[in-house]
Amino acid sequence: MRWTLTTAVAPVAWGATYFVTREFLPAGNPLYGAVIRALPAGLLLLAVCRKLPRGSWWLKSLVLGALNMSGFFALVYVAAQRLPTSMASIIMAVVPLAMMLLAWGLVGERPGSRHLAGAGAGIAGVCLMVFTATGPVDALGILASVAAMGVSSFGYVLAKRWSGEVDVLASTGWQLTGGGLLLLPFAVLAEGAPPSLDGPALLGFAYVTVVATAVAFAAWFAGLAHLPAGTVGLLGLLNPVTGVLLGVLIAHETLSGRQMCGLLLTLCGVLLGRQTARPSRTPGRTGDRAPEQTGNRPPDRTHEQTGNRTHEQTVSPTPDRTGVPAPDRTGHREVVECARGDGPAGR
């Protein structure tokens, strides 16, 4: 439950990003918006963890940064400009299913029936929440949205595969910094000078950079390191749920009966993906009896040499107060050979 709640911070924070971006951030500079979102967040995490990549992680940080940050942010902005929000949300709702299939191939996590059922319920719920009749569909927008879904899903599973190698906070900072640096030249070439920011825009970027990027991505990658990819992907469905609820609470939008059913169906999909399996117990901890303590060990044998003959004496382990033979603390058999008259009684 701890890691589930930690991971849920990310999609909830991302859901609020839609409202902040629409109300406070300047329009017309999507690439600079992505750079301002990623690069300061990465530098902030680097200042906290004070670790630089080593060895292969210089290249891995750039690969993950290109997939999870710069590539994803740029594709999402293209999709947002060319597609209605409803259509983009429906396509991105396929992310949990894509993550399950990729995790099956890359990290050997076979999706269970609960995860597959949760993905189906979640996709159906998102469709009910945000689907509206639209005009002609823009092919480039669809392609950008599908590409964003595929790039992010692959990047998240790849980050999960490499998650045990370094600290989560450090790897998140490296990805954000690398992604921001990779995107900066494209922003300069395509959009020229950076946009001027007023007070509300600075506050909006402060939220997007610190909460929706630094904190959110650290929580997301921590969840990927401790939870199945299917569970994490389904928690991502809280993103459109948060967006819809904020529209009701802040923008005074109304929910139709169909949208309410979709919201409940999406939450059911998230609940179906909860991790319910108990962690495996390590032998030797409290309450677990190690194999050598079962009392089924063969008895130790002590050899005593008398003259030219060797007498074999069976020595059973001394039982403790519970009646269970105590384990052999030496971990090996001890062979004692004594000369005649030099045994314990003659010492």
Side-chain angles (χ1 to χ4, degrees), residues 60-276:
K60 290 179 179 178
S61 298
L62 291 177
V63 171
L64 293 177
L67 293 172
N68 296 329
M69 309 304 170
S70 55
F72 175 69
F73 289 162
L75 289 168
V76 164
Y77 272 114
V78 172
Q81 290 176 349
R82 290 182 167 270
L83 288 179
T85 302
S86 58
M87 182 64 68
S89 299
I90 291 171
I91 295 175
M92 292 305 295
V94 186
V95 166
L97 185 59
M99 287 181 62
M100 292 178 202
L101 298 177
L102 288 170
W104 190 359
L106 291 177
V107 297
E109 286 185 0
R110 185 174 181 177
S113 57
R114 290 171 59 95
H115 285 140
L116 294 175
I123 294 173
V126 171
C127 290
L128 285 176
M129 279 193 300
V130 301
F131 181 76
T132 57
T134 59
V137 176
D138 187 279
L140 182 58
I142 291 289
L143 182 62
S145 187
V146 171
M149 181 268 296
V151 162
S152 62
S153 299
F154 179 70
Y156 294 154
V157 175
L158 199 60
K160 178 178 180 61
R161 182 174 182 176
W162 293 335
S163 62
E165 300 179 8
V166 293
D167 177 72
V168 171
L169 197 64
S171 66
T172 305
W174 302 339
Q175 291 181 57
L176 287 168
T177 304
L181 291 175
L182 287 174
L183 197 57
L184 182 58
F186 295 96
V188 174
L189 291 175
E191 299 177 359
S196 58
L197 304 178
D198 55 11
L202 289 174
L203 291 177
F205 270 121
Y207 171 82
V208 170
T209 299
V210 178
V211 179
T213 303
V215 175
F217 274 102
W220 185 255
F221 289 125
L224 281 170
H226 293 87
L227 297 173
T231 300
V232 176
L234 289 173
L235 285 171
L237 294 174
L238 293 174
N239 186 339
V241 171
T242 303
V244 170
L245 292 179
L246 285 178
V248 173
L249 297 176
I250 299 178
H252 304 291
E253 299 174 358
T254 58
L255 277 180
S256 65
R258 183 182 62 184
Q259 288 176 316
M260 182 63 70
C261 291
L263 189 147
L264 294 177
L265 191 58
T266 304
L267 291 178
C268 288
V270 174
L271 292 176
L272 280 174
R274 286 190 313 163
Q275 187 183 24
T276 56

Side-chain angles (χ1 to χ4, degrees), residues 278-294:
R278 295 180 180 179
S280 58
R281 296 185 299 177
T282 303
R285 291 184 180 179
T286 304
D288 295 333
R289 180 174 293 176
E292 63 269 17
Q293 295 177 335
T294 59

